[in-house]
Amino acid sequence: MLSRIRNLPGGILPVAQALGGHPIEGPLVAGLLARVRTSTEVFTLAQAAYLATRVSPALALELVEAAESRMWELESDPAAFMAALREVSLCWNTLAPRRVSSLVAAATERFGHIQWFARKVSELPRFDMNREMAAVRSRPPGKEADQAWAKLMICIGDTKLAMSWLGRISDPVAREQALIHIAENASDRDMDEAMRTLSMLSFQWAFIQGLAAISFRRGTHWSDPAGAGHFLECARKEEATYLPESEPDQEDGRTLMSSAIERADRWVRLHESDVHRRAPLDGTTARARGAAIPDPPVSHQVLLDLAYECFGKPHPGPFGTELINAVSTRAPVPLELLDTITA
């Protein structure tokens, strides 16, 4: 239940780490964002929820629920509703992807008679597990089936379930690539699990490619230059040992490995030369400025801007969103009934 999710561990993060290891005071930022929840603007609420995922999943949930509630108030204006639906869907896609399908289904049922709206809704990301499973199972064994299984394993984000399907991929290289993607997904929540997954790889070049892939993910998904640099360095050390001993028939593997290293290296170098980086605002200054901001409603955007400054640039990645992703996948579900439905 959503009410139970709100009481799970992971309330407000005392100190988060931003760019370069600078500390972010979680309670301070959460306090600023909590003052935004009275806003009537969907975009403002969605942006506040996006930031709240970095310090408090419970607050993020409250803010995105407020954004969705405000969205339904716009149903008499299809254009405004469509814009709001996009914002809320993107926000739910970060917090709890399984909620997106029920939200889109409810909107489609409400507005299905409007051709333009129905066409736009169809462009939103949706993932139907049963339909995808049926489609993959219907394919005859071969390259296309291998690719379909690998794609499904990547999409679900469930490591144990994905690993149970690994034996369905007959091509060894495709199986290695699927394992690398599983390790990437696992690295978002448990680096030990990610490394255990990489240790299952049969080829050394694939292991090195996996290290480089995690490096790139740490940089792009989590704005973690230190983590990106660490895994890139590990990949390079392994590469230096592997290349002199590699066999000629492993050329395709070496190409995949080199491409992954080059991509990670490009991000690290780009980050190092990024003139737009900004350290987080220190807590003392932020508190003083926050205290001087008048009460809402006129100050919502000012509070949001101050919260952004507290994070610096780039922003740290979200944490604890798996707590929120237990929202029921049934669709459509009226908001007022969500608390009565088990996940």
Side-chain angles (χ1 to χ4, degrees):
M1 302 177 190
L2 285 182
S3 57
R4 186 173 66 237
I5 294 168
R6 291 190 184 90
N7 296 324
L8 287 172
I12 296 179
L13 194 64
V15 178
Q17 293 297 317
L19 173 67
H22 294 288
I24 302 169
E25 296 184 37
L28 167 62
V29 177
L32 294 172
L33 296 174
R35 294 172 64 185
V36 179
R37 61 188 164 199
T38 57
S39 174
T40 58
E41 297 295 328
V42 173
F43 180 80
T44 301
L45 290 166
Q47 288 298 300
Y50 165 79
L51 288 182
T53 62
R54 276 73 178 161
V55 293
S56 172
L59 177 59
L61 177 61
E62 185 177 349
L63 288 164
V64 73
E65 284 179 324
E68 184 174 326
S69 178
R70 172 57 180 155
M71 177 194 77
W72 289 112
E73 295 174 10
L74 302 173
E75 58 183 318
S76 60
D77 183 347
F81 181 87
M82 185 62 217
L85 176 62
R86 286 187 178 278
E87 289 300 325
V88 174
S89 295
L90 288 171
C91 202
W92 273 122
N93 202 46
T94 298
L95 287 165
R98 282 180 283 178
R99 171 61 182 158
V100 175
S101 59
S102 60
L103 177 65
V104 171
T108 304
E109 180 174 324
R110 192 79 60 92
F111 292 94
H113 62 285
I114 302 177
Q115 277 191 344
W116 171 83
F117 181 82
R119 185 176 70 252
K120 291 294 186 181
V121 166
S122 69
E123 298 171 2
L124 291 168
R126 284 181 285 179
F127 183 78
D128 186 321
M129 170 67 80
N130 294 330
R131 183 181 60 194
E132 295 293 333
M133 278 287 295
V136 174
R137 289 180 185 277
S138 67
R139 293 178 179 272
K143 183 177 180 180
E144 290 188 1
D146 287 344
Q147 292 174 342
W149 277 111
K151 181 179 178 181
L152 183 60
M153 290 164 66
I154 295 165
C155 289
I156 62 169
D158 184 326
T159 302
K160 290 183 179 179
L161 183 57
M163 294 292 283
S164 71
W165 296 339
L166 198 60
R168 297 179 179 272
I169 301 178
S170 57
D171 180 69
V173 174
R175 192 161 52 244
E176 298 285 276
Q177 297 305 300
L179 270 174
I180 289 171
H181 283 296
I182 293 172
E184 282 187 82
N185 289 337
S187 71
D188 289 343
R189 58 185 180 276
D190 188 338
M191 198 59 73
D192 289 337
E193 180 184 344
M195 298 309 294
R196 284 194 298 270
T197 303
L198 289 185
S199 70
M200 298 173 62
L201 292 163
S202 302
F203 302 115
Q204 183 66 9
W205 60 260
F207 178 75
I208 299 168
Q209 180 191 351
L211 291 172
I214 291 177
S215 166
F216 186 74
R217 193 177 187 90
R218 294 310 304 176
T220 56
H221 281 60
W222 293 91
S223 300
D224 176 15
H230 169 73
F231 283 100
L232 177 59
E233 183 181 357
C234 291
R236 283 174 170 159
K237 286 181 179 178
E238 293 288 338
E239 180 191 33
T241 303
Y242 164 74
L243 286 177
E245 302 174 354
S246 61
E247 300 295 332
D249 61 353
Q250 296 179 353
E251 182 177 352
D252 289 344
R254 287 198 301 270
T255 300
L256 291 170
M257 173 191 72
S258 299
S259 176
I261 291 177
E262 181 182 352
R263 183 178 65 162
D265 179 72
R266 191 182 306 120
W267 185 90
V268 170
R269 286 189 283 107
L270 181 64
H271 171 81
E272 290 173 347
S273 62
D274 185 1
V275 297
H276 301 293
R277 289 182 295 162
R278 184 177 65 245
L281 189 66
D282 68 274
T284 301
T285 302
R287 272 188 290 274
R289 286 175 53 182
I293 295 175
D295 290 332
V298 295
S299 60
H300 290 130
Q301 190 58 50
V302 181
L303 288 165
L304 193 56
D305 290 341
L306 180 57
Y308 270 106
E309 287 189 60
C310 289
F311 281 105
K313 186 178 178 180
H315 305 141
F319 87 102
T321 53
E322 67 274 7
L323 302 179
I324 305 171
N325 202 32
V327 178
S328 173
T329 58
R330 298 179 180 86
V333 180
L335 275 176
E336 61 270 17
L337 300 180
L338 275 174
D339 274 343
T340 68
I341 299 174
T342 56

